[in-house]
Amino acid sequence: MGERWPLVQQFKIQPSRRPTASTLLHCVGVTLYNHVFLVLPASVAQWAWRPPVDLPDRAPSLLELIAGVICNLLLFDFQYFIWHLLHHRIRWLYVTFHAIHHNYSSPFALATQCLGGWELVTVGFWTTLNPVILRCHLLTTWTFMVVHVYVSIEDHCGYDFPWSTSRLIPFGIYGGPSKHDVHHQKPNTNFAPHFSHWDKIFGTHADFSFCTAMK
C-alpha cells in the first residue's frame, strides 16, 4: 500500500527495496511454525502450572503505570543488548540462532517475528519475567507488553513516520526504525532494541547517515 500512496512512501527508509512474495511467505511460515510449536505450548504450560492471580482491587496511578512501562523497557533493553551483542560477536551463536533474522537487509513489519526458536523463547522469557521481577501491577504488565510489541513492529516496519517513537522522544534517547534499519544494513551497529545509550557507551551506535556514507 505504501508504494501506491505517495504520502506514505515518502517516509520509506529504503524506498527502492520491497519484500518479495517469497520473503513474505517465508516469514509467515516461520511465524506460524513458532506459534504452533513454541508459543502455544508455552502458553498452555504457563496456564496449567502458574496458579491463578486475582485481579487487584485498585488500578495503578498513571505515574506508576508510566514508570513501570519505562522500567520494563529499560530492563529488557539491557538484557537484549547483551544477548544481541554476543550473538553477533560469537559466530556459532550467530549462525545457529540469529542469522535467520538477518535474511533481510531492508526490514518490514512481518520480519519482526521471523526469529529462530531460541531467540523467540529468550525474548518471551524476559518479556514475561521482567514485570514479575519489578513487581508490576497487572495493568502495567499488560500495557508494557502491548507497548513492547508495538515498538518492536515499529522498529522493523521500514518507515520513519513523523509520529515514530524516536521522533516523539527528544535528544536521540530512543533508537526507532531508522536506527534499527541501520542494524539490518550494517549488523555490527545498533544492537539495543529500543534506546540508544548502550550502543553509545560501547561505541556501536550509528545513524542512518552512516549507511548513506558507506554506499
Side-chain angles (χ1 to χ4, degrees):
M1 289 186 293
E3 292 185 347
R4 300 191 187 101
W5 299 345
L7 183 64
V8 174
Q9 184 65 11
Q10 65 178 314
F11 301 112
K12 186 91 164 65
I13 298 172
Q14 298 186 58
S16 62
R17 305 290 296 275
R18 59 169 296 178
T20 63
S22 62
T23 59
L24 292 172
L25 287 173
H26 176 255
C27 280
V28 169
V30 171
T31 301
L32 287 176
Y33 178 89
N34 284 341
H35 279 71
V36 170
F37 293 103
L38 292 172
V39 176
L40 180 60
S43 300
V44 172
Q46 186 180 35
W47 171 79
W49 296 337
R50 188 175 181 181
V53 179
D54 293 331
L55 290 174
D57 294 328
R58 297 176 61 84
S61 68
L62 181 60
L63 183 61
E64 289 172 335
L65 188 145
I66 293 173
V69 170
I70 293 174
C71 287
N72 272 285
L73 289 173
L74 286 169
L75 180 56
F76 179 87
D77 203 65
F78 171 69
Q79 294 161 331
Y80 191 79
F81 174 81
I82 296 173
W83 185 101
H84 200 182
L85 184 67
L86 289 175
H87 280 68
H88 276 267
R89 293 288 190 262
I90 302 172
R91 179 166 177 76
W92 179 80
L93 290 175
Y94 180 83
V95 172
T96 306
F97 300 117
H98 190 54
I100 186 174
H101 188 63
H102 279 275
N103 286 339
Y104 316 104
S105 59
S106 178
F108 48 94
L110 195 56
T112 311
Q113 283 290 304
C114 193
L115 307 171
W118 165 249
E119 183 166 3
L120 183 67
V121 168
T122 52
V123 168
F125 176 75
W126 292 323
T127 303
T128 54
L129 180 64
N130 288 351
V132 177
I133 294 174
L134 297 174
R135 303 184 67 178
C136 291
H137 189 283
L138 195 57
L139 182 59
T140 305
T141 301
W142 291 343
T143 304
F144 156 65
M145 290 185 175
V146 171
V147 171
H148 182 54
V149 170
Y150 170 79
V151 293
S152 297
I153 295 171
E154 181 188 65
D155 278 355
H156 291 88
C157 73
Y159 290 85
D160 193 4
F161 294 112
W163 56 84
S164 293
T165 311
S166 54
R167 295 184 178 273
L168 300 178
I169 299 176
F171 311 120
I173 296 172
Y174 197 84
S178 62
K179 299 286 178 63
H180 196 71
D181 204 281
V182 171
H183 173 70
H184 277 262
Q185 295 181 63
K186 300 293 178 183
N188 286 322
T189 63
N190 297 350
F191 294 107
H194 300 316
F195 299 92
S196 299
H197 55 279
W198 290 116
D199 282 300
K200 291 178 179 178
I201 291 170
F202 285 91
T204 55
H205 178 264
D207 290 311
F208 188 71
S209 57
F210 172 80
C211 279
T212 305
M214 291 291 289
K215 288 180 178 179

